[in-house]
Coordinates of all heavy atoms in Angstrom, one line a residue:
L7 N 29.7 1.1 -4.6 CA 29.8 0.5 -5.9 C 28.6 -0.4 -6.1 O 28.4 -1.3 -5.2 CB 31.1 -0.2 -6.1 CG 31.5 -0.5 -7.5 CD1 31.8 0.8 -8.3 CD2 32.8 -1.4 -7.5
Y8 N 27.9 -0.2 -7.2 CA 26.7 -1.1 -7.5 C 26.8 -1.4 -9.0 O 26.7 -0.5 -9.8 CB 25.4 -0.4 -7.1 CG 24.2 -1.1 -7.8 CD1 23.7 -2.3 -7.3 CD2 23.6 -0.5 -8.9 CE1 22.6 -2.9 -7.8 CE2 22.5 -1.1 -9.5 CZ 22.0 -2.3 -9.0 OH 20.9 -2.9 -9.5
N9 N 26.9 -2.6 -9.4 CA 26.9 -3.0 -10.8 C 28.0 -2.2 -11.6 O 27.7 -1.7 -12.7 CB 25.5 -2.9 -11.3 CG 25.3 -3.8 -12.5 OD1 25.9 -4.8 -12.6 ND2 24.4 -3.3 -13.4
K10 N 29.1 -2.1 -11.0 CA 30.3 -1.4 -11.6 C 30.0 0.1 -11.8 O 30.6 0.8 -12.6 CB 30.7 -2.0 -13.0 CG 31.1 -3.4 -12.9 CD 31.5 -4.0 -14.2 CE 31.8 -5.4 -14.1 NZ 32.0 -6.1 -15.4
R11 N 29.0 0.7 -11.0 CA 28.7 2.1 -11.1 C 28.7 2.6 -9.7 O 28.3 2.0 -8.7 CB 27.3 2.3 -11.7 CG 27.1 1.7 -13.1 CD 25.7 1.8 -13.6 NE 25.3 3.2 -13.9 CZ 25.6 3.7 -15.1 NH1 26.1 3.0 -16.0 NH2 25.2 5.0 -15.3
I12 N 29.2 3.9 -9.5 CA 29.2 4.5 -8.2 C 27.9 5.2 -8.0 O 27.5 6.1 -8.7 CB 30.4 5.5 -8.0 CG1 31.7 4.7 -8.1 CG2 30.3 6.2 -6.7 CD1 32.9 5.6 -8.2
L13 N 27.2 4.8 -6.9 CA 25.9 5.4 -6.6 C 26.0 6.8 -5.9 O 27.0 7.0 -5.1 CB 25.1 4.5 -5.7 CG 24.7 3.1 -6.2 CD1 24.0 2.3 -5.1 CD2 23.9 3.2 -7.4
H14 N 25.1 7.7 -6.3 CA 25.1 9.0 -5.6 C 23.7 9.1 -4.9 O 22.7 9.2 -5.6 CB 25.3 10.1 -6.6 CG 26.6 10.0 -7.3 ND1 27.8 10.4 -6.7 CD2 26.9 9.7 -8.6 CE1 28.8 10.2 -7.6 NE2 28.3 9.7 -8.7
V15 N 23.7 9.0 -3.6 CA 22.4 8.9 -2.9 C 22.3 10.2 -2.0 O 23.2 10.5 -1.3 CB 22.4 7.7 -2.0 CG1 21.0 7.5 -1.4 CG2 22.7 6.4 -2.8
S16 N 21.1 10.8 -2.1 CA 20.9 12.0 -1.4 C 19.4 12.1 -1.0 O 18.6 11.4 -1.6 CB 21.3 13.3 -2.2 OG 20.6 13.3 -3.4
V17 N 19.1 13.1 -0.1 CA 17.7 13.3 0.3 C 17.0 14.1 -0.9 O 17.6 14.9 -1.5 CB 17.6 14.0 1.6 CG1 18.1 15.4 1.6 CG2 16.2 13.9 2.2
W18 N 15.8 13.7 -1.1 CA 15.0 14.4 -2.2 C 14.6 15.8 -1.6 O 14.2 16.0 -0.5 CB 13.7 13.6 -2.5 CG 12.9 14.2 -3.5 CD1 13.2 14.7 -4.8 CD2 11.4 14.4 -3.5 NE1 12.2 15.2 -5.5 CE2 11.0 15.0 -4.7 CE3 10.5 14.1 -2.5 CZ2 9.7 15.3 -5.0 CZ3 9.2 14.4 -2.8 CH2 8.8 15.0 -4.0
D19 N 14.8 16.9 -2.5 CA 14.5 18.2 -2.0 C 13.0 18.5 -2.0 O 12.6 19.6 -1.6 CB 15.2 19.3 -2.9 CG 14.8 19.2 -4.4 OD1 13.8 18.5 -4.7 OD2 15.4 19.9 -5.2
G20 N 12.1 17.6 -2.5 CA 10.7 17.8 -2.4 C 10.2 18.5 -3.7 O 8.9 18.6 -3.8
R21 N 11.0 19.0 -4.5 CA 10.6 19.7 -5.7 C 11.0 19.1 -7.0 O 10.3 19.1 -8.0 CB 11.1 21.2 -5.7 CG 10.5 22.0 -4.6 CD 11.0 23.4 -4.6 NE 12.4 23.5 -4.5 CZ 13.1 23.5 -3.3 NH1 12.4 23.4 -2.2 NH2 14.4 23.6 -3.3
E22 N 12.2 18.5 -7.1 CA 12.8 18.0 -8.3 C 11.9 16.9 -8.9 O 11.6 16.0 -8.2 CB 14.2 17.6 -8.1 CG 15.0 17.3 -9.4 CD 16.4 16.9 -9.2 OE1 16.9 16.9 -8.0 OE2 17.1 16.7 -10.2
K23 N 11.7 17.0 -10.2 CA 10.9 16.0 -10.9 C 11.8 15.1 -11.8 O 12.7 15.7 -12.4 CB 9.8 16.6 -11.8 CG 8.9 17.5 -11.0 CD 7.8 16.8 -10.3 CE 6.7 17.7 -9.7 NZ 6.8 17.8 -8.3
F24 N 11.6 13.9 -11.9 CA 12.5 13.0 -12.6 C 11.8 12.3 -13.8 O 12.4 11.6 -14.6 CB 13.0 11.9 -11.7 CG 13.8 12.5 -10.5 CD1 13.2 12.6 -9.3 CD2 15.1 13.0 -10.7 CE1 13.9 13.1 -8.2 CE2 15.8 13.5 -9.7 CZ 15.2 13.6 -8.4
K25 N 10.5 12.5 -13.9 CA 9.7 11.8 -15.0 C 10.1 12.4 -16.3 O 10.1 13.7 -16.5 CB 8.2 11.9 -14.8 CG 7.4 11.0 -15.7 CD 6.0 11.0 -15.3 CE 5.2 10.0 -16.3 NZ 3.9 9.9 -16.0
I26 N 10.4 11.6 -17.3 CA 10.8 12.1 -18.6 C 9.6 11.9 -19.6 O 9.1 10.8 -19.7 CB 12.0 11.3 -19.2 CG1 13.2 11.5 -18.2 CG2 12.4 11.8 -20.6 CD1 13.8 12.8 -18.1
E27 N 9.2 12.9 -20.2 CA 8.1 12.8 -21.1 C 8.5 12.3 -22.5 O 9.5 12.8 -23.0 CB 7.4 14.2 -21.3 CG 6.7 14.8 -20.1 CD 5.6 13.9 -19.6 OE1 4.9 13.3 -20.4 OE2 5.4 13.8 -18.4
E28 N 7.8 11.3 -23.0 CA 8.2 10.7 -24.3 C 7.3 11.3 -25.4 O 6.2 11.8 -25.1 CB 7.9 9.2 -24.3 CG 8.6 8.4 -23.3 CD 8.1 7.0 -23.2 OE1 7.1 6.7 -22.7 OE2 8.9 6.1 -23.8
T29 N 7.8 11.3 -26.6 CA 7.0 11.6 -27.8 C 6.1 10.5 -28.0 O 6.3 9.4 -27.5 CB 7.9 11.9 -29.0 OG1 8.6 10.7 -29.4 CG2 8.9 13.0 -28.8
E30 N 5.1 10.7 -28.8 CA 4.1 9.7 -29.2 C 4.8 8.5 -29.8 O 4.5 7.3 -29.5 CB 3.0 10.2 -30.1 CG 1.8 9.4 -30.1 CD 1.1 9.1 -28.8 OE1 1.0 10.0 -28.0 OE2 0.7 7.9 -28.6
E31 N 5.8 8.8 -30.7 CA 6.5 7.7 -31.5 C 7.3 6.9 -30.5 O 7.3 5.6 -30.5 CB 7.4 8.3 -32.6 CG 6.7 9.0 -33.7 CD 6.3 10.4 -33.4 OE1 7.0 11.1 -32.6 OE2 5.3 10.8 -33.9
E32 N 8.0 7.5 -29.6 CA 8.8 6.8 -28.6 C 8.0 6.0 -27.7 O 8.3 4.8 -27.3 CB 9.6 7.9 -27.7 CG 10.7 8.5 -28.4 CD 11.3 9.7 -27.6 OE1 10.6 10.3 -26.7 OE2 12.5 10.0 -27.8
R33 N 6.8 6.5 -27.3 CA 5.9 5.7 -26.5 C 5.4 4.5 -27.2 O 5.3 3.4 -26.6 CB 4.7 6.6 -26.1 CG 3.8 6.0 -25.0 CD 2.7 7.1 -24.6 NE 1.8 6.4 -23.6 CZ 0.8 5.7 -24.0 NH1 0.5 5.5 -25.3 NH2 0.0 5.2 -23.1
E34 N 5.0 4.6 -28.4 CA 4.5 3.5 -29.2 C 5.6 2.4 -29.4 O 5.4 1.2 -29.2 CB 4.0 3.9 -30.6 CG 2.7 4.6 -30.6 CD 2.2 5.0 -31.9 OE1 2.5 4.4 -32.9 OE2 1.5 6.0 -32.0
E35 N 6.8 2.9 -29.6 CA 8.0 1.9 -29.8 C 8.2 1.2 -28.5 O 8.5 0.0 -28.4 CB 9.2 2.7 -30.2 CG 10.4 1.9 -30.5 CD 10.3 0.8 -31.5 OE1 9.6 1.0 -32.5 OE2 10.8 -0.3 -31.3
R36 N 8.1 2.0 -27.4 CA 8.4 1.4 -26.1 C 7.3 0.3 -25.7 O 7.6 -0.7 -25.2 CB 8.3 2.5 -25.0 CG 8.7 2.2 -23.6 CD 8.7 3.5 -22.9 NE 8.5 3.5 -21.5 CZ 9.5 3.3 -20.6 NH1 10.7 3.1 -21.0 NH2 9.2 3.3 -19.3
L37 N 6.0 0.6 -26.0 CA 4.9 -0.3 -25.8 C 5.1 -1.6 -26.6 O 4.8 -2.7 -26.2 CB 3.6 0.4 -26.1 CG 3.2 1.4 -25.0 CD1 1.9 2.1 -25.5 CD2 2.9 0.8 -23.7
K38 N 5.6 -1.4 -27.9 CA 5.8 -2.6 -28.7 C 6.9 -3.5 -28.1 O 6.7 -4.7 -28.1 CB 6.3 -2.1 -30.1 CG 5.2 -1.7 -31.1 CD 5.7 -1.3 -32.4 CE 4.7 -0.5 -33.2 NZ 5.3 0.1 -34.4
R39 N 8.0 -2.8 -27.6 CA 9.0 -3.6 -27.0 C 8.5 -4.4 -25.8 O 8.9 -5.5 -25.5 CB 10.2 -2.7 -26.7 CG 11.0 -2.3 -27.9 CD 12.4 -1.8 -27.5 NE 12.5 -0.9 -26.3 CZ 12.4 0.4 -26.4 NH1 12.3 1.0 -27.6 NH2 12.5 1.2 -25.3
W40 N 7.7 -3.7 -25.0 CA 7.2 -4.3 -23.7 C 6.3 -5.5 -24.1 O 6.3 -6.5 -23.5 CB 6.4 -3.3 -22.9 CG 7.2 -2.7 -21.8 CD1 7.7 -1.4 -21.8 CD2 7.7 -3.3 -20.7 NE1 8.4 -1.2 -20.6 CE2 8.4 -2.4 -19.9 CE3 7.6 -4.6 -20.1 CZ2 9.1 -2.6 -18.7 CZ3 8.2 -4.9 -18.9 CH2 8.9 -3.9 -18.2
S41 N 5.4 -5.3 -25.1 CA 4.5 -6.4 -25.6 C 5.4 -7.6 -26.0 O 5.1 -8.7 -25.6 CB 3.6 -5.9 -26.7 OG 2.8 -4.9 -26.3
K42 N 6.4 -7.3 -26.8 CA 7.3 -8.4 -27.3 C 7.9 -9.1 -26.1 O 8.0 -10.3 -26.0 CB 8.3 -7.8 -28.2 CG 9.1 -8.7 -29.0 CD 10.0 -8.0 -30.0 CE 10.8 -8.9 -30.8 NZ 11.8 -8.2 -31.7
F43 N 8.4 -8.3 -25.1 CA 9.0 -8.8 -23.9 C 8.1 -9.7 -23.1 O 8.4 -10.8 -22.7 CB 9.5 -7.6 -23.0 CG 10.0 -8.0 -21.7 CD1 11.1 -8.7 -21.5 CD2 9.2 -7.6 -20.6 CE1 11.6 -9.0 -20.2 CE2 9.6 -8.0 -19.3 CZ 10.8 -8.7 -19.1
L44 N 6.8 -9.3 -23.0 CA 5.8 -10.0 -22.2 C 5.4 -11.3 -22.9 O 5.2 -12.3 -22.3 CB 4.6 -9.2 -21.9 CG 4.9 -8.0 -20.9 CD1 3.7 -7.1 -20.9 CD2 5.2 -8.5 -19.5
E45 N 5.3 -11.2 -24.3 CA 4.9 -12.4 -25.1 C 6.0 -13.4 -25.0 O 5.7 -14.6 -25.1 CB 4.6 -12.0 -26.5 CG 3.3 -11.2 -26.7 CD 3.2 -10.6 -28.1 OE1 4.0 -10.8 -29.0 OE2 2.3 -9.8 -28.2
S46 N 7.2 -13.0 -24.9 CA 8.4 -13.9 -24.9 C 8.5 -14.6 -23.5 O 9.5 -15.3 -23.3 CB 9.6 -13.3 -25.3 OG 10.0 -12.3 -24.3

């Protein structure tokens, strides 16, 4: 149990990719939020 969630931990198979591609709009929105976060 970690932060009220049950962790599932396993060895990486060497092939599976986890990176999620964002659309241009999502990326811009995310960068705005990060800028706001850093400025604060």
Side-chain angles (χ1 to χ4, degrees):
L7 200 64
Y8 164 76
N9 204 28
K10 298 179 185 172
R11 302 173 74 85
I12 295 171
L13 298 177
H14 301 286
V15 187
S16 59
V17 69
W18 180 49
D19 63 8
R21 292 183 301 276
E22 190 176 359
K23 304 277 187 254
F24 301 102
K25 190 172 182 178
I26 303 291
E27 294 299 325
E28 298 174 286
T29 64
E30 197 58 41
E31 295 82 31
E32 288 171 332
R33 189 173 177 276
E34 282 179 32
E35 182 59 36
R36 185 173 158 89
L37 289 172
K38 279 181 195 171
R39 286 199 316 268
W40 265 109
S41 295
K42 195 174 175 183
F43 170 70
L44 293 171
E45 286 168 10
S46 67

